[in-house]
Amino acid sequence: RYPAGPLFPDGIIAPSWSRKHPEYVPGVHVAFFCMPPHDTASLAMDAALIEVVASMRAAYAQRGIKLMMVLLCDPLLFAQGIEARVAHLRRASGLEARGAVFVLNTGAKEDMAPIAQSLLPAARLVAQDYYREHARHVRRNRARYPPPPSVTQPIMHAAVSAGVARAERVPSLLSAVGWRMRMHYKLGALTELQGETREAHQLYMEAYRGLMPTSHPHAGLGAPRPGRGASRELLGPQRAL
């Protein structure tokens, strides 16, 4: 990658990537807002809500994350009919026509469970599309790796200039086997997040089969390996679990 990166020069998967999607970056963001009351100030309040939602949608769209909005509506306001206002809020905010806006009547306790039951599957479908697109990106890039010398040589020269590597002992970059292990691991994680456990298991096994000859070339267990060797040895048991 680059000399100051955590995977330079021959790392396979950074621990931060393993935690990225399950813990840090959502596949879909569900935002809850109170529906503005219908009075003389409703136009200004609707405009303010549209501005906030549109700003959130644009910020998440930069990373491919979809925004879903849940409007908490007062019972009296809900009884007056809010379909036209909700449609205007959705269109002006740039949200999608289907499955992006839900309205919850806060006075009807019996409606909360059905709304939640319809919200969760809709959010799951959006998240599955998000992880599926990331998996497509990994598959599209697999033909580019390992990178040719025209790409790696400038990186190694930069590493020597930065003092990360020594000119008389330039470290080797990640091999073709290592790149395949990285690809299978990433595809396995993204497929698992889509709920496709059987396919994810097969991809993890491909990564595992490539990892074992690299980290355990001999049948016996030797002394603990420092640095990248230790991180590779931990990757295998992690996937096995």
Side-chain angles (χ1 to χ4, degrees):
R1 292 294 184 159
Y2 53 94
L7 296 181
F8 183 84
D10 61 345
I12 299 176
I13 289 291
S16 59
W17 193 94
S18 299
R19 302 178 63 183
K20 173 182 175 181
H21 292 290
E23 299 182 28
Y24 302 142
V25 181
V28 58
H29 184 90
V30 182
F32 290 77
F33 297 97
C34 291
M35 185 73 178
H38 187 67
D39 54 26
T40 56
S42 60
L43 289 178
M45 297 180 71
D46 284 359
L49 178 59
I50 290 170
E51 183 178 357
V52 171
V53 175
S55 178
M56 292 179 62
R57 182 194 59 78
Y60 283 117
Q62 294 178 358
R63 307 190 67 175
I65 302 171
K66 295 293 182 65
L67 175 66
M68 299 177 66
M69 176 172 64
V70 178
L71 292 172
L72 305 177
C73 186
D74 179 84
L76 294 178
L77 182 61
F78 189 84
Q80 296 174 7
I82 56 172
E83 291 81 3
R85 284 185 68 192
V86 171
H88 171 68
L89 289 172
R90 181 195 60 75
R91 287 194 301 268
S93 302
L95 296 177
E96 296 182 358
R98 297 183 61 184
V101 180
F102 292 80
V103 179
L104 177 60
N105 181 4
T106 57
K109 303 293 185 181
E110 64 278 5
D111 292 344
M112 293 186 179
I115 286 290
Q117 291 173 358
S118 61
L119 174 62
L120 290 176
R124 186 178 298 112
L125 288 175
V126 174
Q128 287 174 343
D129 289 339
Y130 172 81
Y131 297 124
R132 191 175 295 113
E133 183 58 33
H134 273 267
R136 290 194 190 104
H137 177 74
V138 173
R139 288 190 173 94
R140 283 196 299 265
N141 286 341
R142 62 184 171 185
R144 300 168 52 189
Y145 300 115
S150 60
V151 175
T152 59
Q153 288 178 359
I155 295 176
M156 300 311 298
H157 288 319
V160 173
S161 301
V164 178
R166 292 182 295 177
E168 66 276 9
R169 190 180 179 184
V170 177
S172 59
L173 295 176
L174 188 62
S175 65
V177 174
W179 282 107
R180 286 194 294 272
M181 290 159 53
R182 175 185 292 183
M183 181 196 69
H184 285 125
Y185 179 89
K186 286 188 173 183
L187 288 176
L190 294 169
T191 304
E192 183 181 7
L193 289 169
Q194 295 174 46
E196 302 291 340
T197 54
R198 184 182 298 274
E199 183 180 352
H201 176 263
Q202 295 174 353
L203 290 165
Y204 282 142
M205 288 303 299
E206 287 294 329
Y208 194 81
R209 280 191 284 268
L211 181 67
M212 287 301 95
T214 304
S215 60
H216 295 294
H218 306 291
L221 291 177
R225 300 176 63 187
R228 299 226 183 267
S231 64
R232 292 186 181 188
E233 289 178 0
L234 287 174
L235 182 62
Q238 176 189 1
R239 285 303 91 208
L241 290 174

